[in-house]
Amino acid sequence: MNSSIPRIGAERPPVALHDRAMDNLRFIRETMERSGSFTAVSGWAVVLMGAVALVAWGLTRGVEPDVWVMTWMIAAGVAIVLGTSATMLKARRMGEAVFRGPGRKFVLSVLPALLVGGFLTFPLHRAGETALLPGVWLLLYGTAICSGGAFSVRTIPVMGICFLALGAICVVSPAAWGGAFMAAGFGGLHVVFGLIIAGRHGG
């Protein structure tokens, strides 16, 4: 037999088993991360929520308490619609479910503290304690974000902690500073963390 005849497949490069194993491990790790956390929070929507808050702050400087409360409540409604709509669009683009798995846990964790904030608003206002609202809102919003952040990317709970810290400072500060704390929290923190989320987590 002629030994010079090349064997079939002899010139094929050997399979890089190490590279293939690393690719598989990377795929498994990314799949587990996606299945364990809700990554569809829209950073750009968070930036817009901050912009809405800054507009509300500008409109409520020096107004009557009734107008102040109603303006901020309308701004909160607009921000919630923006955030929810953009998050649902991003989740659809990424193939994530909003009301199943981590998305459902995120929503159910965020809602209670937000609802409590809404329920406390008008009793406090009617009792003449409107000056307490900035601190209460910041603290409860920070609580909501920290709770939901347990099922989302790391940036989210960090944002929640910043809201909690700002709210804690607000409740022991002069009442006249309430508007500035609202602008710094719902405006500034939203813009800063929204940009971080957009840059690190795909918009």
Side-chain angles (χ1 to χ4, degrees), residues 14-163:
V15 178
L17 293 178
H18 174 75
D19 292 343
R20 178 175 295 180
M22 293 303 295
D23 288 341
N24 290 338
L25 287 173
R26 190 178 301 110
F27 173 78
I28 293 170
R29 185 181 67 244
E30 291 175 354
T31 301
M32 291 179 67
E33 288 175 353
R34 288 174 63 87
S35 65
S37 62
F38 183 65
T39 60
V41 176
S42 172
W44 295 119
V46 175
V47 172
L48 288 176
M49 291 166 68
V52 170
L54 291 174
V55 170
W57 172 64
L59 293 174
T60 54
R61 299 179 69 182
V63 300
E64 295 295 322
D66 288 346
V67 177
W68 188 91
V69 171
M70 289 307 301
T71 302
W72 276 108
M73 292 299 289
I74 292 171
V78 172
I80 289 171
V81 170
L82 284 173
T84 302
S85 302
T87 295
M88 293 183 71
L89 288 173
K90 183 177 177 181
R92 181 180 300 177
R93 174 168 56 84
M94 298 177 65
E96 289 194 36
V98 177
F99 300 110
R100 294 196 308 273
R104 181 173 180 271
K105 294 177 182 178
F106 178 86
V107 172
L108 293 179
S109 297
V110 166
L111 278 179
L114 294 182
L115 291 175
V116 169
F119 289 142
L120 287 177
T121 295
F122 293 104
L124 285 173
H125 177 55
R126 285 198 300 267
E129 300 292 348
T130 307
L132 292 177
L133 287 176
V136 169
W137 284 344
L138 288 165
L139 286 170
L140 287 173
Y141 187 76
T143 301
I145 298 304
C146 283
S147 298
F151 306 101
S152 187
V153 294
R154 187 176 302 175
T155 308
I156 302 299
V158 173
M159 180 173 72
I161 291 170
C162 290
F163 270 97

